[in-house]
Amino acid sequence: HVQLVESGGGSVQAGGSLRLSCVFFGYTPARDCIAWFREAPGQERERVGHIDGDGIAGYADAVKGRCTIAKDIAKNSMVLQLNNLQPEDSAMYYCAVRSGIGWCTTVQRDYNYWGQGTQVTVS
């Protein structure tokens, strides 16, 4: 049974930072694409960034330069570090994987496992 569990969300002032974690249970990413998405009220769920099967990270333009995504192999997890947070970063953040597929897309329906989300609120 595959389960993804996010943590680390919360309320932060503009200009601050957050570090989100996604722990994988019953699953090891290996060379799969793993990603972070976010969804704000009334908006489409959008990809924040990803790590592809070759270990290469990619980021949305909205967070490029402020965001780092990394695998933590020892903890079987993935982290997202987002700096200089702005109110427009407020959203529910989700981790997702494309099991068995190494290349990444920005399309949420391409991802077959999702976490329950962790809320980030920036004021």
Side-chain angles (χ1 to χ4, degrees):
H1 176 64
V2 176
Q3 192 175 10
L4 281 59
V5 179
E6 302 99 333
S7 62
S11 297
V12 63
Q13 290 188 336
S17 299
L18 275 178
R19 184 178 177 86
L20 307 182
S21 176
C22 173
V23 180
F24 307 112
F25 295 94
Y27 169 79
T28 300
R31 293 183 62 82
D32 292 347
C33 168
I34 56 178
W36 285 95
F37 283 73
R38 67 185 181 186
E39 185 174 344
Q43 297 186 22
E44 295 280 328
R45 189 170 296 189
E46 64 176 1
R47 186 213 51 152
V48 177
H50 66 254
I51 298 176
D52 69 16
D54 292 325
I56 298 171
Y59 303 98
D61 288 344
V63 300
K64 202 169 290 183
R66 306 188 288 127
C67 182
T68 302
I69 295 175
K71 279 186 187 180
D72 186 333
I73 296 173
K75 296 181 180 179
N76 200 35
S77 67
M78 169 174 64
V79 295
L80 180 151
Q81 175 79 30
L82 191 56
N83 301 319
N84 191 23
L85 284 158
Q86 300 300 315
E88 53 266 35
D89 293 316
S90 296
M92 186 74 80
Y93 283 70
Y94 300 90
C95 59
V97 303
R98 299 191 79 193
S99 178
I101 299 175
W103 54 279
C104 298
T105 75
T106 61
V107 179
Q108 61 168 315
R109 66 175 179 270
D110 289 340
Y111 294 77
N112 54 337
Y113 292 111
W114 291 83
Q116 81 289 348
T118 185
Q119 179 68 40
V120 171
T121 303
V122 185
S123 59

